[in-house]
Amino acid sequence: MKILVTGGAGFIGSAVCRHLVKDLGTAVVNVDKLTYAANLDSLKPVSENPLYSFHRQDICDPEAILAIMRSEKPDAVMHLAAESHVDRSIDGPAIFIETNVMGTYSMLEAARTYWSELEGPARDRFRFHHISTDEVYGDLPFDESLFTETTPYAPSSPYSASKASSDHLVRAWNHTYGIPVVLSNCSNNYGPYQFPEKLIPLVTLNALEGKPLPVYGKGDNVRDWLHVEDHAKALATVATRGEIGHSYNVGGRCERTNLAVVEAICDILDAQLPRPDGLPRRNLISFVTDRPGHDRRYAIDCSKIEAELGWTPSRTFEEGLADTIRWYLANEDWWRPIRDKNYAGQRLGTGSTKT
Ligand code: NAD
Ligand code: TYD
């Protein structure tokens, strides 16, 4: 089995590459443009493995992608490459349309040609797995039931609208051209190797360095947290055993307010590495101007993947968070260069103003 993974140098893509190569013995062809969010150091555990190979390539070039498919002959494609940060999509939506919409279109066109050239078992085996987000379902009121696979799409941000568009393209290419696709929509991931502009690594590293911990609005927005290694296992399951044309919601069954997440990080860090002055890190929490159009809540019903494919999240949030914080403490050589480079700019939690 050989899988072409796009975005394999990103947070989730690198976890997928590590899981496929190390745990499942599957050959992986990683196709990644290496944007600011990529880090080849996240692939060190597999980079010398003969099952792993890498092509630096923009997914928006369908001819180049087709050439890679023809030479590498993958059995499946797992398409993760995307622009993934909501705040960046608000500041500059164009690259989100380019990468997430046009890039997915380009991937689908390359896959359509490649699949049309396959014969026999290789043609039957082929799958195009599109990795998407629960944010396509939009703002979930606090008193409403969880997102299921049939919840209508209602994306709110440029990011989620671009992902919703890409989901529609994938379904249309299945319906119209018969390409064997599967989709998955997951909740907020956390875990090792996450770029420190996202809430959990940003707050962890700011707290470690005694910097303010920016909480948007009142911190009462709710997200459903999924450990990236649980997610990688779900993705491998969907890619290989998902039913053609189906989508699968993947969640952690771990709904938390942002404030509860930030407070938990403070408490875990205080226990693992007390501040020299002995003060609690909760003192660093700073409520800042809210994100425009900030969705109140996302929460996934993952009973379909549990019942049909036998996957279930394996960690509690508290265990996963403590492990993640331990990982950041032990891997400063991974995150220090990113922090040093990006603090020169306006990102990584310095964009909002204190309320
Ligand atoms: P990420 O931002 O960490 O990584 C994205 C990767 O895609 C990077 O390695 C980047 O270099 C690559 N990439 C971007 N544009 C490219 C292009 N034009 N050509 C080739 N490669 C390109 O993202 P992530 O958090 O790992 O998310 C992966 C996927 O999962 C995305 O599709 C995202 O929408 C989805 N998702 C993420 C989350 C989450 O919590 N992180 C939740 C739901 C869904
Ligand atoms: P994020 O990690 O950006 O993921 P998403 O927006 O895709 O859910 O943010 C998670 C939640 O944390 C979201 O409700 C916004 C909030 N947030 C903050 O309160 N402060 C921050 O500095 C960041 C980056 C996010």
Side-chain angles (χ1 to χ4, degrees), residues 129-261:
H129 178 189
H130 179 61
I131 284 77
S132 190
T133 169
D134 61 357
E135 302 193 24
V136 298
Y137 301 121
D139 189 26
L140 182 66
F142 293 120
D143 57 352
E144 277 191 22
S145 50
L146 309 180
F147 297 136
T148 71
E149 287 78 1
T150 56
T151 300
Y153 277 30
S156 312
S157 71
Y159 164 67
S160 55
S162 71
K163 292 298 290 188
S165 309
S166 66
D167 291 12
H168 290 315
L169 292 178
V170 171
R171 289 199 176 88
W173 260 242
N174 169 243
H175 190 79
T176 306
Y177 304 113
I179 300 184
V181 309
V182 285
L183 298 92
S184 53
N185 296 77
C186 68
S187 60
N188 285 59
N189 281 222
Y190 72 100
Y193 302 102
Q194 186 167 29
F195 192 84
E197 66 184 347
K198 302 280 170 84
L199 179 70
I200 288 179
L202 173 75
V203 165
T204 302
L205 300 182
N206 279 14
L208 191 59
E209 294 180 342
K211 292 185 172 147
L213 313 180
V215 173
Y216 297 168
K218 294 192 209 125
D220 55 357
N221 304 66
V222 170
R223 298 294 184 262
D224 170 3
W225 293 97
L226 170 66
H227 194 278
V228 69
E229 286 161 14
D230 278 338
H231 186 208
K233 288 180 189 160
L235 292 179
T237 306
V238 170
T240 51
R241 291 175 35 228
E243 200 169 327
I244 292 172
H246 279 232
S247 63
Y248 296 86
N249 280 354
V250 189
R253 295 194 185 280
C254 269
E255 283 188 63
R256 297 286 185 282
T257 65
N258 292 337
L259 186 57
V261 170

Side-chain angles (χ1 to χ4, degrees), residues 9-12 32-33 35 58-59 80 84 132 159 163 186 189:
F11 168 48
I12 302 173
D32 197 300
K33 178 183 169 183
T35 69
D58 189 338
I59 56 161
L80 295 101
S84 69
S132 190
Y159 164 67
K163 292 298 290 188
C186 68
N189 281 222

Side-chain angles (χ1 to χ4, degrees), residues 326-338:
R326 227 171 273 123
W327 186 88
Y328 279 94
L329 289 178
N331 287 278
E332 184 168 348
D333 56 339
W334 184 88
W335 55 261
R336 176 62 67 196
I338 306 173

Side-chain angles (χ1 to χ4, degrees), residues 42-78:
S42 310
L43 292 154
K44 273 187 184 159
V46 294
S47 57
E48 301 300 319
N49 193 307
L51 289 173
Y52 172 80
S53 63
F54 173 62
H55 296 259
R56 183 171 192 175
Q57 179 58 54
D58 189 338
I59 56 161
C60 294
D61 181 344
E63 293 303 323
I65 296 289
L66 179 58
I68 294 172
M69 288 180 179
R70 281 176 172 151
S71 68
E72 295 282 2
K73 299 184 177 41
D75 299 291
V77 171
M78 295 175 75

